[in-house]
Amino acid sequence: MAEGPTPLFINVYMYAINKASARVLGKSATVLSRCVTDDLWQYLVSRGLLPEKPSPEDLRRLFVETLGVARDLVYEEKSGEVIFTFKGVTLREFMEAIMKERLQPVVCPFTSILAKACEEMITGKLVIWKIEPLDAENLRVICRRTLN
């Protein structure tokens, strides 16, 4: 018997939450994600898993080494966008299902943590503009600066 939730359970759970959120809440599901993000951010900082002013390396360490979400996380900034590319994501079943159904993930607080971390690094407001599955194992999260 597995100790704790299996990767399959996490994939199925993420798929169900995102599909239901998209169906019931539509675009307003992003408001829910932002609230979850704020609470998750406080939790990660209070547990010492992420500093209040993280660097790209702190984020890579969190997502790759601590949480095991991907084999690598690449950070780049260009033309007012901050782009994170997750390589070798461990949520393969989830990625395949959302790609097959052409669902845009709406409740994905860990990707929102990326935007919040960047806001802290660059001292500005960012929003997740696009979550782009490149294939079943690689994902790009594109954040854009807002005018506020």
Side-chain angles (χ1 to χ4, degrees):
M1 172 79 58
E3 188 174 314
T6 66
L8 179 59
F9 171 80
I10 293 167
N11 278 272
V12 170
Y13 183 76
M14 285 187 63
Y15 169 77
I17 292 296
N18 277 279
K19 182 154 185 171
S21 296
R23 193 175 65 230
V24 174
L25 301 172
K27 289 283 186 184
S28 64
T30 56
V31 174
L32 174 64
S33 183
R34 194 64 177 191
C35 290
V36 171
T37 298
D38 291 342
D39 292 338
L40 183 56
W41 180 266
Q42 290 175 359
Y43 180 82
L44 292 170
V45 170
S46 72
R47 297 257 342 254
L49 298 171
L50 195 63
E52 286 187 43
K53 301 276 187 193
S55 68
E57 180 57 29
D58 292 325
L59 294 172
R60 194 198 69 70
R61 191 175 311 109
L62 174 70
F63 285 99
V64 175
E65 297 172 17
T66 305
L67 299 176
V69 172
R71 285 192 304 271
D72 197 12
L73 176 62
V74 177
Y75 168 91
E76 62 182 302
E77 254 186 270
K78 63 180 178 183
S79 305
E81 293 182 342
V82 175
I83 302 167
F84 292 95
T85 304
F86 287 87
K87 296 182 177 183
V89 295
T90 57
L91 304 170
R92 185 181 182 116
E93 291 89 355
F94 169 67
M95 294 294 295
E96 287 174 345
I98 64 169
M99 286 174 63
K100 181 180 176 185
E101 295 187 35
R102 297 176 192 215
L103 288 174
Q104 176 77 12
V106 291
V107 179
C108 200
F110 287 111
T111 55
S112 297
I113 287 295
L114 294 174
K116 183 154 179 71
C118 286
E119 289 174 358
E120 296 297 327
M121 288 189 290
I122 66 169
T123 318
K125 185 80 170 147
L126 288 174
V127 294
I128 294 175
W129 178 69
K130 187 175 189 180
I131 298 173
E132 181 179 48
L134 303 173
D135 55 44
E137 294 186 3
N138 299 291
L139 170 74
R140 184 177 294 138
V141 179
I142 303 169
C143 302
R144 285 191 170 167
R145 295 180 194 269
T146 64
L147 299 175
N148 306 16

